[in-house]
Amino acid sequence: MITDAISERLLEGEKLLWCGRPQQGLLFTSRDALLIPFSLLWGGFALFWETMVLSLGAPMLFRFWGVPFVLIGLYIIAGRFILDAWVRSRTAYAVTNRRILIVRSGVFGNVTSLSLDRLPNIQLKERGDRRGTIRFGGLGMGYAGWGWGIWTPTLDPTPQFLAIEEAQRVYEEIEHASRNAA
């Protein structure tokens, strides 16, 4: 999947320097230290509200009022992890001698291409197991605007290689390739 998804997007004369995928399965990030307790409080209160409204026989408006909050609670407690794992399973990354490629297939499919000679600020955040995330650009709407990216890292609008193996080595490869492209 990786080679096919990337190779069909290579330009004439472009050479593949590295390709990989994000970590598969369940992925916790540092922001989950705050998001998990918040999601449990939100979901718990929404379920409490809906249970009380239904058991007390409240008017129909009150019964339906809590449903969206329960659904949001279910998403932020568990659904976001499922969606994130699903999107990551359909994602491939590449570094070529000319650009950075991020290829996603499926419902959230898109191709992101960043020219090596015009790369924005590059940030490396590495864990102890040598996995890490390389972000291409500053903090995006996923952080500042509380958009999808805050809950589902793969949907963060800032391009990134999320939870890749040997992140430091890939970072150095990008630095080297970008110096040669300039």
Side-chain angles (χ1 to χ4, degrees):
M1 181 252 172
I2 297 174
T3 312
D4 294 341
I6 297 298
S7 64
E8 63 190 34
R9 288 172 174 80
L10 293 179
L11 303 173
E12 186 176 323
E14 194 169 25
K15 293 182 178 101
L16 186 63
L17 303 175
W18 173 86
C19 69
R21 298 180 70 192
Q23 177 181 327
Q24 300 300 293
L26 185 62
L27 175 66
F28 292 105
T29 63
S30 59
R31 62 184 105 164
D32 284 319
L34 294 174
L35 296 179
I36 290 172
F38 174 80
S39 66
L40 292 173
L41 285 171
W42 177 289
F45 181 77
L47 284 173
F48 170 77
W49 166 275
E50 196 61 25
T51 302
M52 293 305 294
V53 165
L54 292 174
S55 67
L56 295 175
M60 200 58 76
L61 173 65
F62 287 103
R63 293 178 190 191
F64 287 119
W65 183 261
V67 171
F69 295 97
V70 169
L71 294 175
I72 291 169
L74 291 173
Y75 174 76
I76 64 177
I77 289 170
R80 67 190 181 100
F81 293 110
I82 295 166
L83 177 61
D84 189 59
W86 183 80
V87 173
R88 280 185 286 108
S89 73
R90 287 154 179 77
T91 302
Y93 303 134
V95 178
T96 74
N97 61 328
R98 294 186 189 173
R99 57 197 176 129
I100 302 293
L101 284 170
I102 302 170
V103 179
R104 276 197 324 232
S105 62
V107 176
F108 296 98
N110 70 2
V111 176
T112 301
S113 174
L114 303 170
S115 179
L116 285 175
D117 61 352
R118 289 179 279 162
L119 275 181
N121 181 30
I122 303 171
Q123 303 165 359
L124 169 65
K125 187 173 184 180
E126 194 173 23
R127 300 185 324 209
D129 63 357
R130 297 174 51 167
R131 275 196 182 274
T133 296
I134 302 171
R135 292 177 59 88
F136 304 98
L139 297 178
M141 289 302 292
Y143 292 98
W146 286 78
W148 280 103
I150 192 76
W151 295 102
T152 310
T154 52
L155 298 181
D156 190 322
T158 302
Q160 62 184 329
F161 288 173
L162 181 66
I164 58 171
E165 291 181 1
E166 306 271 336
Q168 178 68 39
R169 185 180 63 77
V170 175
Y171 178 82
E172 290 168 1
E173 184 79 38
I174 293 168
E175 287 287 326
H176 178 72
S178 66
R179 279 194 302 274
N180 291 339

